[in-house]
Amino acid sequence: DISLTAGRLQVANIFEDVPDGVLEFRTGGRVRDVLALAQTDPINLIKTTEVAPSQIAGTFKGQIKVRLPLREDLQIEEIKVDGAVTISGGEVKLPDSPVKVTSIAMKINISPRAVHVAGQMLMNGIVANLNWQRIFGLPANKQPAMRLRAALDDADRVQLGMDVNHLISGIVPINVSVANVGLKNQSIHLTANLSQAELSLKSLAWQKPKGRKALLQFDVGKGSAYPYELQNFKLVGDNVAIDGWVALDRNFKAREFYFPEFSVNVVTRLEVQGALSKANIWKINANGPTFDGRDFFSSLFDVDAGGRAKKHKRKDMPGIDLTATIDNVIGYGDISLRDFKVKLRERGDKLTFIEARGELDGGEPLSVKLNPKKGQKRILFAQTSRAGKAFKMVGFYPNLRNGQATLKVNLDGRGVAETTGQLEVRKFFILGDQVISEVLQSIDEGRPAIASRSRRRIERERFDFDRLSVPFSVGQGQFVISNSSIKGPVIGASMRGKVDFKARRLNLGGTYVPLSGLNSAFCQIPLLGQLLTGPRCEGVFGITFAVKGKLGNPEVIVNPLSVLTPGFLRELMALTPLNPTIKKRGGTKKSKRKKRSATRSSSSIVSTRRSRRRAKVSAGADGPEVIGGWSAKATPNR
């Protein structure tokens, strides 16, 4: 029912053949009733085939003024209407849609030329602003589009059923324009400004940080296999260009995609397509001429990647079956991996299978395998006949040359460690490592304590080795080396310690063994060998050393007195902990601040000592920090 109250009719020029009348009244009632009236002939103000008036709830009230000539053959075009109407408590029940539109609060301004609607509504509880104009006498295909605006954070996207927070993090302003509202040829276009959001493609180790420009846009249309299709899908930004389409089911869940142009940087050129199976597994194929793998290689040394991934872990995370063939994978140091082929599987956000193979520059093979049997741990194997090129390509340790390398990694870890493993390299040499050169210079010059920076230039020395063995573990943002050894015909060393990437500090130490081959020859003698050379058969003569401090500017510490210590007592002269382990980080930032505050208030002496220690540590100039790798740079004075 529609109520008309406080009506008043005024007639001017009453003695004319066709006098003019002005009708004013207040009105109110149900929205569905007035919409039904607006759709009837001869009014035909609104036409819709998608939503019937019966699916709309809410009430309206307003003040209307109607100007019309008073004659029998009145035409609808001769009626001029002015007024203002408000709608409250409105709801729309969209058929076959997971989106619920409630709490509609709109203001409608009516003029002789147009109807303007503006206000707010809740879409699955998310505030959206609407703006729409209907111009009288204009064909439907010429009418202005309806526009919706909203700003969606992580929680909003979940409420709307957009399960994309493993890809997007942060607030995203969106604009939706709907042309030909309610008609069969209705079209929907969405634009999302992603500049203040973080984007992440974990499988490619690609990220767009907050503040870098990126824009997403697509048209929502009807698909062939699925109800909806995101057509003309484009993601463009400073270092990304993706173009194609995405198919969605009735719950707006992605089911298929095809990106003939897929580039996440200026080098990568791929064609990627995928489909989600009934078993909730993405079957993805990727092919292309080039892929810039430097971000991916850097992610291999990201010791906190597992912790960040858990923040966006989904309960129904689909599996991945990926097959890729790439002609040229670009790495660090102008090293490439050619004819790269990979097959991999992920289940529950865990890598469960991989077979990958390619050729380094020069034709040397590099292979990676992971194929555990049911109930077994996931052990990944990688090997190459040219370790130096492989290390340089992934940005791991560019000073190593030649060598045959084997890497074994337990992806399931042990205890606090997220992963554990062992690296073996044979028949190689190291060229130009500044830290090694400074350790040796400190030993040769017999410096007893912290090695001061020599003003003379450290030469680009070559050190030959027969074997390197490095057991390691990763977790809690820490990288731990335990009982590692490097042996050569002239020099050898053992090393252990920890690199804390969150604290940006390292504490590595071990024993330097001169004339390694001859020095450790006594190791084979039962009982006496270990007494002379030490429990790890390092050598009869050995000098303990340590590399400590900030990642970018570590201090080299040498204890030359340890050369006089028998092998079985040498560990007493160690400058670093003998059994470094990954420590679980405890307490929140808030509790740590309270603890520091209590300590400061209870003991000014302790606080003063801490301040002095901080001043002492920060006295040296910081050099360039090393994000990945096992050797920090020591920058000599000039």
Side-chain angles (χ1 to χ4, degrees):
D1 296 331
I2 300 175
S3 66
L4 302 176
T5 61
R8 183 175 64 175
L9 175 64
Q10 290 181 319
V11 180
N13 52 24
I14 190 171
F15 298 106
E16 296 289 339
D17 293 337
V18 182
D20 294 325
V22 178
L23 176 63
E24 295 183 84
F25 57 87
R26 293 176 185 172
T27 184
R30 298 184 304 180
V31 175
R32 66 181 60 174
D33 294 331
V34 74
L35 287 178
L37 176 64
Q39 293 186 49
T40 59
D41 293 329
I43 301 177
N44 289 326
L45 182 62
I46 299 175
K47 285 289 187 182
T48 178
T49 59
E50 299 292 331
V51 181
S54 60
Q55 295 171 315
I56 300 175
T59 60
F60 75 94
K61 63 180 180 179
Q63 184 81 26
I64 302 295
K65 179 185 290 186
V66 181
R67 294 183 176 88
L68 71 166
L70 301 178
R71 63 183 178 191
E72 294 183 2
D73 57 344
L74 178 65
Q75 302 296 316
I76 190 70
E77 298 84 15
E78 297 178 286
I79 300 176
K80 308 300 180 184
V81 181
D82 288 283
V85 177
T86 58
I87 297 176
S88 59
E91 293 186 9
V92 178
K93 297 180 180 179
L94 299 173
D96 300 323
S97 174
V99 178
K100 296 181 179 179
V101 181
T102 60
S103 302
I104 299 174
M106 298 290 166
K107 186 172 183 179
I108 304 174
N109 290 313
I110 306 171
S111 71
R113 298 190 57 176
V115 176
H116 183 245
V117 182
Q120 291 185 335
M121 66 183 76
L122 295 181
M123 302 179 69
N124 283 9
I126 310 304
V127 176
N129 295 285
L130 179 143
N131 196 300
W132 184 40
Q133 190 176 35
R134 177 79 179 188
I135 300 175
F136 300 134
L138 201 64
N141 59 350
K142 300 291 186 180
Q143 292 289 345
M146 177 190 295
R147 300 189 181 277
L148 288 168
R149 292 184 297 108
L152 307 179
D153 60 19
D154 294 9
D156 295 337
R157 290 189 287 272
V158 173
Q159 283 185 238
L160 287 172
M162 303 167 61
D163 195 3
V164 294
N165 286 345
H166 60 296
L167 304 174
I168 303 174
S169 177
I171 297 177
V172 178
I174 65 169
N175 287 277
V176 181
S177 74
V178 184
N180 301 324
V181 178
L183 302 180
K184 289 184 177 181
N185 61 339
Q186 175 177 290
S187 63
I188 302 174
H189 182 78
L190 182 143
T191 302
N193 188 341
L194 303 175
S195 298
Q196 296 304 312
E198 295 179 1
L199 304 185
S200 175
L201 296 176
K202 185 178 73 70
S203 57
L204 297 179
W206 174 82
Q207 289 185 327
K208 184 207 78 70
K210 180 180 178 181
R212 181 174 292 176
K213 292 182 179 179
L215 185 70
L216 171 66
Q217 56 183 343
F218 54 79
D219 298 316
V220 180
K222 291 186 177 181
S224 55
Y226 294 95
Y228 308 106
E229 191 171 284
L230 308 185
Q231 302 163 349
N232 302 316
F233 185 99
K234 296 180 185 296
L235 175 60
V236 294
D238 292 341
N239 66 338
V240 59
I242 299 175
D243 192 349
W245 56 263
V246 181
L248 309 178
D249 61 16
R250 294 189 181 279
N251 295 317
F252 301 147
K253 185 176 182 179
R255 289 290 178 176
E256 288 185 16
F257 65 83
Y258 175 55
F259 300 127
E261 295 183 17
F262 186 94
S263 176
V264 290
N265 49 55
V266 296
V267 175
T268 298
R269 292 291 182 272
L270 297 177
E271 176 184 4
V272 184
Q273 58 184 340
L276 187 64
S277 70
K278 293 181 179 180
N280 198 33
I281 297 173
W282 278 106
K283 307 287 186 178
I284 301 175
N285 288 287
N287 301 278
T290 56
F291 174 70
D292 189 339
R294 286 173 291 186
D295 287 340
F296 176 78
F297 295 141
S298 295
S299 72
L300 300 177
F301 310 108
D302 188 350
V303 295
D304 197 33
R308 287 195 302 272
K310 292 177 181 178
K311 295 180 181 180
H312 299 296
K313 190 172 181 179
R314 299 155 57 189
K315 294 180 180 179
D316 61 340
M317 175 72 72
I320 295 177
D321 286 356
L322 170 68
T323 301
T325 302
I326 303 172
D327 298 337
N328 195 17
V329 177
I330 308 298
Y332 291 98
D334 296 325
I335 304 295
S336 298
L337 190 63
R338 306 185 187 281
D339 297 327
F340 178 70
K341 295 179 175 61
V342 60
K343 292 183 179 180
L344 65 82
R345 290 196 295 264
E346 285 188 3
R347 299 293 185 268
D349 204 28
K350 287 186 177 181
L351 184 66
T352 59
F353 171 86
I354 186 171
E355 280 188 359
R357 184 177 179 83
E359 292 184 353
L360 296 164
D361 294 341
E364 297 88 357
L366 172 65
S367 64
V368 180
K369 291 185 178 181
L370 170 67
N371 190 12
K373 294 181 180 179
K374 188 174 182 180
Q376 292 182 341
K377 288 186 176 293
R378 298 175 300 138
I379 308 298
L380 181 143
F381 294 91
Q383 60 183 13
T384 180
S385 59
R386 189 55 64 95
K389 284 187 177 180
F391 284 11
K392 189 175 182 180
M393 179 185 70
V394 302
F396 173 61
Y397 182 65
N399 300 88
L400 189 141
R401 300 289 190 274
N402 296 340
Q404 298 177 348
T406 301
L407 175 66
K408 180 180 178 182
V409 181
N410 180 357
L411 299 179
D412 293 319
R414 181 177 62 250
V416 183
E418 295 163 9
T419 59
T420 60
Q422 182 149 337
L423 173 67
E424 299 276 351
V425 186
R426 297 181 180 275
K427 299 298 181 182
F428 64 97
F429 64 91
I430 291 176
L431 183 64
D433 188 301
Q434 294 180 338
V435 171
I436 292 179
S437 299
E438 186 162 347
V439 169
L440 296 181
Q441 285 184 11
S442 300
I443 292 170
D444 292 342
E445 296 172 8
R447 299 183 215 155
I450 297 177
S452 60
R453 301 290 188 236
S454 174
R455 290 189 177 274
R456 56 192 174 87
R457 180 174 173 269
I458 296 176
E459 297 180 0
R460 187 173 171 83
E461 297 182 73
R462 169 173 170 160
F463 308 98
D464 290 276
F465 296 98
D466 297 320
R467 182 173 178 268
L468 168 70
S469 178
V470 183
F472 62 88
S473 56
V474 177
Q476 302 288 311
Q478 303 160 49
F479 184 89
V480 170
I481 303 172
S482 57
N483 299 328
S484 65
S485 64
I486 184 170
K487 295 183 179 180
V490 178
I491 61 174
S494 64
M495 183 173 285
R496 58 186 172 268
K498 180 192 298 186
V499 181
D500 191 326
F501 286 93
K502 285 190 174 181
R504 311 301 300 163
R505 301 189 68 81
L506 79 162
N507 186 359
L508 302 175
T511 303
Y512 163 69
V513 181
L515 299 175
S516 174
L518 178 63
N519 205 349
S520 60
F522 293 95
C523 181
Q524 305 302 323
I525 303 176
L527 186 60
L528 180 62
Q530 290 191 348
L531 289 174
L532 293 175
T533 63
R536 297 179 179 84
C537 293
E538 294 159 336
V540 177
F541 303 102
I543 301 175
T544 57
F545 69 92
V547 182
K548 298 183 176 182
K550 297 181 179 180
L551 276 180
N553 190 31
E555 296 174 327
V556 175
I557 305 172
V558 173
N559 185 2
L561 297 178
S562 59
V563 73
L564 304 176
T565 305
F568 72 97
L569 295 177
R570 188 175 299 129
E571 289 191 346
L572 297 177
M573 309 292 288
L575 301 175
T576 54
L578 298 180
N579 297 301
T581 58
I582 293 174
K583 300 296 184 182
K584 187 174 182 180
R585 301 184 189 275
T588 62
K589 292 182 180 180
K590 184 176 180 180
S591 63
K592 289 180 180 179
R593 285 196 297 268
K594 288 182 178 180
K595 184 176 181 180
R596 286 196 296 267
S597 177
T599 304
R600 284 195 297 268
S601 61
S602 62
S603 176
S604 59
I605 297 177
V606 173
S607 176
T608 303
R609 289 175 180 172
R610 285 177 179 169
S611 300
R612 290 173 180 172
R613 283 201 298 269
R614 292 193 192 102
K616 184 177 180 180
V617 170
S618 61
D622 293 346
E625 292 189 347
V626 180
I627 303 299
W630 295 16
S631 178
K633 282 189 176 181
T635 306
N637 293 332
R638 296 179 179 176

